[in-house]
Amino acid sequence: MEPTVPSPAHLDPEESTPLETSLATERGLQTGDYLTSGQGVRLPDTDHSLKAGPRGPSLLEDFHLREKITHFDHERIPERVVHARGSGAYGTFTAYGNAASVTKAGFLAEKGRETQVFVRFSTVLGSRGSADTVRDVRGFATKFYTAEGNFDLVGNNMPVFFIQDAIKFPDLIHAAKWHPDREIPQAQTAHDTFWDFVSLHTEATHHVFWAMSDRGIPRSYRTMEGFGVHTFRLVNADNETALVKFHWKPVAGVHSQAWEETQLTAGVDPDFHRRDLADSIDAGLFYEYELGIQVMPDNPDETFEGIDLLDPTKIVPEELAPVQPIGKLVLNRNPDNFHAETEQIAFHMGNVVPGIDVTNDPLLQGRLFSYLDTQLSRLGGPNFTQLPINRPHAPVNDNFRDGMHQSVVHRGIAPYLPNSLSFGGPVPAGPENGGYVHVPKPVLGDKVRANPVSFADHYSQAALFYHSLSPIEQDHMVEAFTFELSKCYEQAIRVRMLSVLANVDAGLTAKVAAGLGLPAPEGKPPVAVTPSPALAQITDRTWPIAGRVVGVIGTPDAATAALQATLKTQGVVVRVIAPVGGEGVERTFQTARSVEFDAVVVAMATDNPQVTVLLQEAYRHAKAIGVQGDGERTLAAAGIDVKAPGILRDPDAETLAAALGKHRVWERIPLLKPAAA
Ligand code: HDD
């Protein structure tokens, strides 16, 4: 028989605090019509400090002045040591129900079960105030508030990582962040210490290829994949296990900015991704992703088709293990308070629920330590799980007590086990009562600081990735390597990195070397590479266009009204760019920049120089350009050939939508290359 445990209201399973309620309570703290001090005393004046006469010194006895300034002085908390720049949203995850064969985790296994989540997207290297569109890995961290406790899937938009063992993480980050003497560059890998490290530490090669690909510069968080990176071990109701990799597949497809576009955007709108996420949710144009899993047998050597599943620098090509969709995520609510929610959310790889277990991937094992530890200094003590954004929606009865910022008034005198003074409770839950049981796997071996032999292959999957990309993406990668290495001061680092590239692909190395004005070294690239077409972004597919932005150069008159109305029904955001502001005008010639738009329609004649620049950039970035009325004169002023691919004369909404669905006018790209190239 289960003992009856008298539990305070906040611990009562029947009264578990849904996030909605807990947030409402927090908001409720600010009540009443009158301004008060932190102690609730009404205040008559918050603009003038208490002084000895109007010209006199301020008085120490001014409790309001001191309290107001003291609180302000402590408003900031330390930014995350990595992933400091980010933004997030709430969403709903709905399970398709087909994962029950591999996991007993209710939120994945039960068809139609809805689970609230919070997702925080981030860049890795920059400070909190850095630009969104820099070339970097993007974090994709999801907290599922499941009925069985919180599950955190703390992933990235790239499926592999720079290092194979967590003990290297401080080295990686010290090399990748700014130089410690001058704290430059901000949010960039284009500098000596990064390339010094990765050229010496060749297990980073595969990941560097992803970072230098278009994945490093996503169009928005809506258009990027997410990956759990590590292999996880799932357990079903019969205690059968499978090795699994998690994938988030964006419904809108994977799309990137152009490299020049990212640089312009960083100045024009450093909040580009953050703004798109928040504005889209406000407009009801929700971001959507499917959660998918690759399922591999849990065999004793933890390999699949010769790929070591414990090596986080390796993928399993989707052609070998298809990604099976198991649920859908819709991000549908903006946070109310950035600090309380987005900044204070604390993810942890160890937040797992029954049905999901970890593997011995040495990178994952180290992460199991780091995430809890970092919150102690970032959030000021061990009680961060009580913050509304971190509180589980499942009942909590943990016997943890006291500590900094304790906000629960615990009752009772026996927060220990075993006890007889609290009716013996709370009682441990066996598996039959939903208790978390680690998969009993044998552990054997000598204590060594060593890697499995298979971890020594640093190049074959970098080559696999490169050869899976479309030629345009490959060109982008050549440009990225050339740009970044050009930014190094030390020639020796460039030379060394070229010798790393030579072990991946001779053609790529030759092109990068030519760009750097250096000889191409010879290497030993893999002889036979089987590409994985699923890795290419540029394909024949057409993607949903909800959330895409079209700029209409003209006045908000009837000329483009029909076009605008039809596009809006498809979720396209249309902004009129007029010579001056006014009713229906969202941008003027002075304020609009090309990077804000996925396509442009020119519906008036103008030789305004800012419009000229806008169109030249849109053309160069291979965006569709529609022309109406005497708009051709505007294109002529910008030197744009109206017969070029993707210049659409009098486009109807369908034509424009089709162009947007391709993301860019890829056929124009060859025309954009300098003649000598
Ligand atoms: Fe990490 C934050 C993703 C390796 C240590 N990491 C952090 C965030 C993401 C990732 C998305 C931001 C979470 C948020 O939005 O709050 N990290 C990854 C991935 C990795 C990875 C996908 C490899 C597969 N990380 C990694 C290692 C270590 C850390 C090997 C340490 C040994 N990561 C941290 C951290 C952070 C963090 C220091 C900083 C802030 C935080 O955790 O809460 O603990």
Side-chain angles (χ1 to χ4, degrees):
M1 193 184 79
E2 289 209 2
T4 318
V5 184
S7 55
H10 71 278
L11 298 181
D12 189 336
E14 300 303 316
E15 295 188 25
S16 68
T17 319
L19 197 71
E20 294 281 356
T21 322
S22 61
L23 287 174
T25 314
E26 294 305 309
R27 278 190 218 106
L29 286 174
Q30 301 284 310
T31 54
D33 293 333
Y34 292 107
L35 178 74
T36 72
S37 72
Q39 302 298 324
V41 176
R42 289 185 185 176
L43 298 167
D45 180 349
T46 191
D47 296 333
H48 302 92
S49 47
L50 194 68
K51 292 186 293 240
R55 300 169 64 80
S58 301
L59 298 176
L60 193 58
E61 76 173 74
D62 186 351
F63 61 82
H64 178 44
L65 169 72
R66 277 187 289 117
E67 185 190 45
K68 187 174 176 181
I69 299 291
T70 304
H71 195 279
F72 169 78
D73 288 345
H74 299 274
E75 276 177 8
R76 296 288 168 271
I77 60 174
E79 67 175 31
R80 288 167 174 81
V81 59
V82 285
H83 296 266
R85 169 81 184 171
S87 58
Y90 293 96
T92 306
F93 176 78
T94 310
Y96 293 157
N98 55 340
S101 58
V102 283
T103 181
K104 61 185 168 193
F107 79 104
L108 295 177
E110 190 186 309
K111 187 172 172 137
R113 168 131 22 138
E114 292 189 352
T115 302
Q116 194 172 28
V117 306
F118 189 92
V119 174
R120 184 173 178 274
F121 301 107
S122 49
T123 52
V124 179
L125 297 177
S127 291
R128 266 191 69 182
S130 56
D132 280 343
T133 59
V134 296
R135 179 179 293 282
D136 198 354
V137 182
R138 299 298 184 287
F140 190 139
T142 310
K143 190 179 283 294
F144 295 82
Y145 302 91
T146 89
E148 289 125 316
N150 285 353
F151 169 60
D152 293 354
L153 186 56
V154 196
N156 282 338
N157 75 330
M158 298 177 190
V160 288
F161 204 62
F162 289 104
I163 51 175
Q164 294 165 319
D165 188 320
I167 200 166
K168 294 298 297 176
F169 195 64
D171 300 286
L172 165 70
I173 300 303
H174 289 171
K177 281 225 177 201
W178 48 70
H179 290 200
D181 52 354
R182 296 171 198 169
E183 210 171 271
I184 51 174
Q186 177 62 245
Q188 308 282 324
T189 48
H191 58 101
D192 286 74
T193 56
F194 175 77
W195 289 102
D196 185 33
F197 177 78
V198 297
S199 61
L200 291 167
H201 180 77
T202 50
E203 75 194 38
T205 309
H206 188 193
H207 188 101
V208 167
F209 270 65
W210 280 79
M212 294 303 120
S213 78
D214 288 347
R215 306 275 180 149
I217 46 174
R219 158 65 180 86
S220 71
Y221 298 136
R222 185 200 287 279
T223 60
M224 60 182 209
E225 282 180 287
F227 301 89
V229 180
H230 311 283
T231 303
F232 290 80
R233 179 169 277 112
L234 297 194
V235 192
N236 69 12
D238 297 326
N239 284 328
E240 294 160 339
T241 59
L243 296 176
V244 161
K245 282 182 180 285
F246 287 105
H247 294 244
W248 288 114
K249 293 276 185 191
V251 170
V254 181
H255 309 291
S256 297
Q257 286 194 299
W259 173 232
E260 185 192 48
E261 202 185 358
T262 68
Q263 296 171 299
L264 295 172
T265 314
V268 171
D269 185 5
D271 307 307
F272 190 68
H273 289 155
R274 179 180 285 194
R275 191 188 307 283
D276 190 87
L277 173 64
D279 286 357
S280 295
I281 291 177
D282 276 347
L285 303 170
F286 301 143
Y287 286 20
E288 296 181 342
Y289 311 82
E290 277 192 311
L291 182 65
I293 47 175
Q294 289 181 292
V295 183
M296 281 79 62
D298 190 359
N299 57 27
D301 59 357
E302 294 158 324
T303 61
F304 180 73
E305 300 278 344
I307 300 162
D308 193 331
L309 297 175
L310 298 192
D311 180 352
T313 67
K314 303 288 188 322
I315 61 162
V316 175
E318 291 184 29
E319 291 75 12
L320 298 181
V323 177
Q324 304 170 41
I326 59 167
K328 175 120 178 236
L329 169 65
V330 180
L331 296 182
N332 49 21
R333 183 156 73 83
N334 280 314
D336 291 309
N337 185 284
F338 191 92
H339 179 84
E341 296 162 275
T342 312
E343 193 60 11
Q344 293 200 130
I345 194 163
F347 293 95
H348 173 33
M349 295 297 293
N351 288 351
V352 285
V353 293
I356 303 176
D357 203 345
V358 299
T359 56
N360 289 341
D361 172 343
L363 189 69
L364 169 55
Q365 291 283 317
R367 293 180 75 195
L368 289 168
F369 165 71
S370 183
Y371 288 73
L372 261 192
D373 179 56
T374 201
Q375 315 306 350
L376 298 180
S377 58
R378 194 171 75 80
L379 296 169
N383 288 319
F384 59 86
T385 51
Q386 297 176 359
L387 293 167
I389 191 67
N390 294 324
R391 261 181 233 163
H393 292 194
V396 174
N397 207 349
D398 54 15
N399 271 352
F400 301 158
R401 291 295 182 270
D402 307 342
M404 296 276 224
H405 318 298
Q406 177 59 254
S407 61
V408 175
V409 183
H410 293 107
R411 282 179 258 163
I413 58 166
Y416 54 82
L417 286 176
N419 74 63
S420 67
L421 298 177
S422 188
F423 301 91
V427 290
E432 66 288 358
N433 288 316
Y436 186 94
V437 179
H438 295 262
V439 176
K441 282 274 166 192
V443 178
L444 211 67
D446 298 336
K447 280 188 217 168
V448 288
R449 293 188 185 275
N451 272 345
V453 177
S454 70
F455 279 35
D457 166 19
H458 297 168
Y459 302 119
S460 66
Q461 286 216 341
L464 184 160
F465 179 58
Y466 181 66
H467 289 288
S468 303
L469 300 181
S470 63
I472 292 174
E473 290 168 86
Q474 289 182 338
D475 280 353
H476 289 170
M477 195 185 282
V478 169
E479 288 162 14
F481 273 117
T482 313
F483 176 94
E484 297 248 331
L485 290 168
S486 306
K487 291 275 190 169
C488 291
Y489 286 69
E490 296 291 335
Q491 185 80 316
I493 293 175
R494 293 192 194 111
V495 171
R496 196 190 311 131
M497 193 60 212
L498 284 175
S499 67
V500 174
L501 297 184
N503 287 330
V504 179
D505 185 73
L508 167 88
T509 312
K511 288 179 192 163
V512 177
L516 295 171
L518 287 168
E522 284 202 16
K524 287 194 183 140
V527 269
V529 178
T530 310
S532 165
L535 296 175
Q537 278 181 227
I538 303 176
T539 64
D540 289 339
R541 274 189 74 170
T542 303
W543 296 92
I545 56 173
R548 293 310 185 109
V549 186
V550 172
V552 176
I553 297 172
T555 46
D557 56 20
T560 59
L563 179 70
Q564 290 190 37
T566 318
L567 285 174
K568 281 178 188 168
T569 59
Q570 299 188 41
V572 174
V573 178
V574 182
R575 298 195 199 289
V576 173
I577 309 165
V580 292
E583 181 80 10
V585 176
E586 288 196 55
R587 296 287 186 279
T588 65
F589 288 177
Q590 204 181 5
T591 58
R593 287 304 302 262
S594 67
V595 293
E596 297 181 87
F597 310 106
D598 295 290
V600 183
V601 176
V602 193
M604 70 181 284
T606 173
D607 58 0
N608 178 290
Q610 278 161 300
V611 172
T612 298
V613 170
L614 187 154
L615 288 173
Q616 287 169 338
E617 286 170 357
Y619 181 82
R620 209 161 55 239
H621 301 152
K623 293 176 181 175
I625 300 177
V627 198
Q628 286 194 331
D630 49 7
E632 275 183 14
R633 280 166 44 203
T634 310
L635 289 190
I640 295 172
D641 177 2
V642 289
K643 296 201 183 60
I647 309 295
L648 312 170
R649 179 74 234 185
D650 295 321
D652 55 15
E654 208 179 319
T655 313
L656 207 54
L660 280 173
K662 294 279 180 207
H663 184 53
R664 283 178 206 275
V665 182
W666 301 114
E667 315 85 79
R668 196 189 296 153
I669 300 279
L671 305 181
L672 301 171
K673 289 191 175 176

